[in-house]
């Protein structure tokens, strides 16, 4: 099977703009990401609850070719540019470089602003979800395929798998993949309505957890055919060795409590990578902080890893940056690639009151060895599950 490697990284979240800010924020965690408002319909004006740092987004025209350019597309463009520059890619207009980006709602908040202000654009601008990858491809000059995967919170995980499949099918030599998310007021209210938001903070695997906290951001990587990347002397962060996806076909928003399809996604990723559960050195779990998600994911890991789950290091990213929706798998992959590249995990925020029903290992000490192989999990509304396996370079 064609080897697919990660040669460039891009990151944006409330920790700052750029991979360096992201990495430093991971190394020095301070507090769980806090909730913005328990009643978004009553208290949160449009776009006043976002976590993106001031000045982090590139200044772009309000529209491009009739597409409205909102903060979500700007975030995607920011991390895609960073990943391409980090990879040192040259000319992308050879038809062999593609763009695949995942999201939940893209720039939906723009329509809310138009309606709230009663100021619909006179030039027939619109903001469909699919447009972001097209805009990113145009600004990068990438003339291969451009696709936006609107697959909720596993969107960027799916973009990774699709990009790898494109390379293995000889449809591309390089694919810029990742995810992006900025939340609309309605989306925030919907999460609140179904009881998925914690009024205090995001506390995965904590007995007192009450839900997740929404965060905004974007994460991207450059996937390349290993032969091409190594021939040009590219730095390789990790190899994407396996992907596994599944759908529970259970409920539009609810998680199937038996976890069968979550287990299947992990097993399929292991099988594609020709790996065993014992090969996994750490996991970046989905770990949203909702009561059912953390419990089902824990049970699924025990089915895969057995009692070894008690000692297997987890990195609980959402506790620090919140649930970034369609960006979560992308940022989780960036984090895993950095851990493998540097040889150690960042310290977790402590689980204050460990849930006895979730007996997992969330190390808080600095310098936990990363080993060679990581698993990154993403789950989503609609029952869409994704597991990715990354293998680090020999040290």
């Amino acid at each position: 099977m064609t080897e697919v490697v990660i040669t460039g990284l891009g990151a944006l979240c409330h920790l700052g703009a750029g991979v360096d800010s992201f990495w430093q924020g991971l190394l020095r965690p301070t507090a769980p990401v806090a909730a913005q408002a328990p009643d978004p319909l009553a208290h949160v004006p449009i776009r006043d609850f976002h976590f993106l740092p001031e000045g982090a987004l590139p200044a772009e025209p309000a529209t491009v070719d009739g597409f409205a350019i909102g903060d979500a597309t700007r975030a995607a463009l920011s991390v895609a540019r960073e990943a391409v520059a980090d990879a040192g890619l040259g000319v992308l207009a050879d038809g062999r470089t593609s763009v695949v980006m995942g999201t939940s709602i893209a720039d939906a908040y723009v329509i809310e602003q138009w309606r709230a202000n009663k100021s619909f654009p006179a030039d027939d601008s619109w903001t469909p979800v699919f447009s972001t990858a097209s805009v990113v491809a145009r600004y990068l000059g990438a003339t291969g395929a451009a696709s936006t995967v609107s697959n909720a919170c596993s969107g960027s995980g799916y973009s990774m798998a699709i990009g790898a499949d494109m390379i293995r099918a000889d449809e591309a030599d390089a694919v810029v993949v990742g995810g992006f998310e900025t939340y609309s007021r309605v989306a925030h209210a919907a999460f609140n309505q179904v009881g998925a938001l914690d009024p205090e903070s995001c506390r995965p695997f904590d007995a007192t957890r009450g839900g997740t906290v929404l965060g905004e951001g974007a994460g991207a990587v450059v996937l390349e055919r290993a032969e091409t990347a190594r021939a040009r002397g590219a730095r390789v962060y990790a190899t994407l060795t396996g992907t596994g996806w599944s759908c529970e076909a259970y409920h539009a928003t609810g998680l199937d409590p038996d976890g069968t399809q979550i287990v299947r996604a992990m097993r399929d990723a292991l099988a594609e990578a020709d790996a065993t559960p014992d090969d996994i050195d750490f996991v970046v779990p989905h770990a949203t902080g909702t009561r059912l998600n953390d419990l089902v994911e824990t049970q699924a890991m025990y089915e895969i890893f057995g009692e070894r789950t008690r000692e297997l290091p987890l990195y609980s990213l959402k506790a620090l940056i919140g649930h970034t929706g369609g960006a979560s798998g992308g940022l989780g992959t960036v984090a895993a690639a950095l851990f493998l590249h540097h040889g150690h995990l960042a310290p977790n925020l402590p689980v204050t009151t460990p849930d006895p029903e979730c007996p997992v290992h969330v190390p808080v000490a600095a310098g936990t060895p990363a080993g060679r192989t990581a698993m990154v999990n993403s789950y989503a509304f609609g029952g869409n599950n994704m597991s990715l396996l990354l293998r680090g370079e020999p040290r």
Side-chain angles (χ1 to χ4, degrees):
M1 186 169 63
T2 301
E3 190 177 24
V4 178
V5 296
I6 295 173
T7 57
L9 306 176
L12 170 65
C13 65
H14 86 281
L15 298 176
V19 170
D20 288 345
S21 294
F22 183 62
W23 177 239
Q24 293 304 316
L26 297 183
L27 292 179
R28 297 171 178 82
T30 54
V33 62
Q36 294 284 56
D39 186 356
L41 280 179
H43 300 299
V44 182
I46 294 174
R47 298 290 294 135
D48 278 359
F49 52 79
H50 66 82
F51 289 94
L52 295 180
E54 191 71 27
L57 297 172
E60 305 293 345
T63 61
V64 173
D65 298 332
F67 295 138
I69 306 300
D71 286 354
T73 296
R74 291 187 177 94
L77 184 57
S78 174
V79 296
R81 283 171 167 163
E82 182 183 20
V84 168
D86 187 39
L89 286 181
V91 176
L92 307 185
D94 58 359
R96 301 292 298 173
T97 303
S98 296
V99 175
V100 185
M101 303 295 287
T103 189
S104 295
I105 58 174
D107 282 315
Y109 83 91
V110 173
I111 300 173
E112 289 183 353
Q113 289 183 327
W114 291 344
R115 289 178 174 172
N117 299 328
K118 296 181 179 180
S119 59
F120 288 89
D123 60 357
D124 293 327
S125 295
W126 63 323
T127 177
V129 171
F130 75 81
S131 65
T132 297
S134 299
V135 171
V136 170
R138 171 177 173 171
Y139 274 82
L140 294 179
T143 57
S147 180
T148 305
V149 182
S150 180
N151 213 10
C153 303
S154 59
S156 49
Y158 272 74
S159 78
M160 305 277 176
I162 292 169
D165 284 349
M166 293 174 71
I167 292 171
R168 291 168 183 153
D170 197 30
E171 294 170 348
D173 291 327
V175 188
V176 183
V177 298
F180 61 101
E181 205 74 80
T182 59
Y183 287 103
S184 72
R185 186 170 180 252
V186 168
H188 199 263
F191 272 89
N192 188 65
Q193 182 66 24
V194 299
L197 298 183
D198 191 306
E200 297 180 18
S201 62
C202 187
R203 293 165 286 170
F205 307 116
D206 195 297
T208 65
R209 68 188 184 278
T212 198
V213 171
L214 302 183
E216 296 185 325
V221 308
V222 171
L223 299 179
E224 281 193 70
R225 184 186 309 278
E227 180 182 4
T228 304
R230 297 188 195 283
R232 69 180 183 85
R235 172 181 50 197
V236 173
Y237 287 99
T239 300
L240 180 57
T241 58
T243 64
W245 52 23
S246 67
C247 181
E248 296 165 6
Y250 175 77
H251 190 274
T253 60
L255 180 69
D256 187 348
D258 72 12
T260 300
Q261 295 303 323
I262 289 175
V263 170
R264 177 188 158 203
M266 288 192 279
R267 283 182 173 154
D268 286 354
L270 287 165
E272 185 172 272
D274 194 23
T276 71
D278 288 342
D279 292 325
I280 303 303
D281 295 303
F282 71 91
V283 176
V284 180
H286 190 56
T288 61
T290 60
R291 296 209 62 82
L292 183 60
N293 180 95
D294 291 2
L295 176 61
V296 172
E297 187 169 14
T298 297
Q299 293 170 343
M301 286 190 290
Y302 268 85
E303 186 159 345
I304 294 293
F305 302 110
E307 286 301 308
R308 180 171 172 256
T309 306
R310 295 181 184 273
E311 289 81 37
L312 181 64
L314 306 185
Y315 185 74
S316 184
L317 180 61
K318 291 181 182 65
L320 183 61
I321 69 171
H323 193 346
T324 55
S328 59
L331 285 166
T333 301
V334 171
L338 287 169
F339 297 156
L340 292 168
H341 181 65
H342 290 285
H344 61 87
L345 275 61
N348 278 282
L349 289 165
V351 179
T352 305
T353 310
D355 186 346
E357 293 189 295
C358 298
V360 294
H361 179 39
V362 185
V364 297
T368 298
R372 283 288 310 281
T373 306
M375 176 180 282
V376 180
N377 290 331
S378 298
Y379 314 133
F381 285 171
N384 292 297
N385 309 306
M386 172 57 66
S387 290
L388 305 171
L389 258 62
L390 277 65
R391 186 182 69 239
E393 292 290 278
R395 301 188 66 79

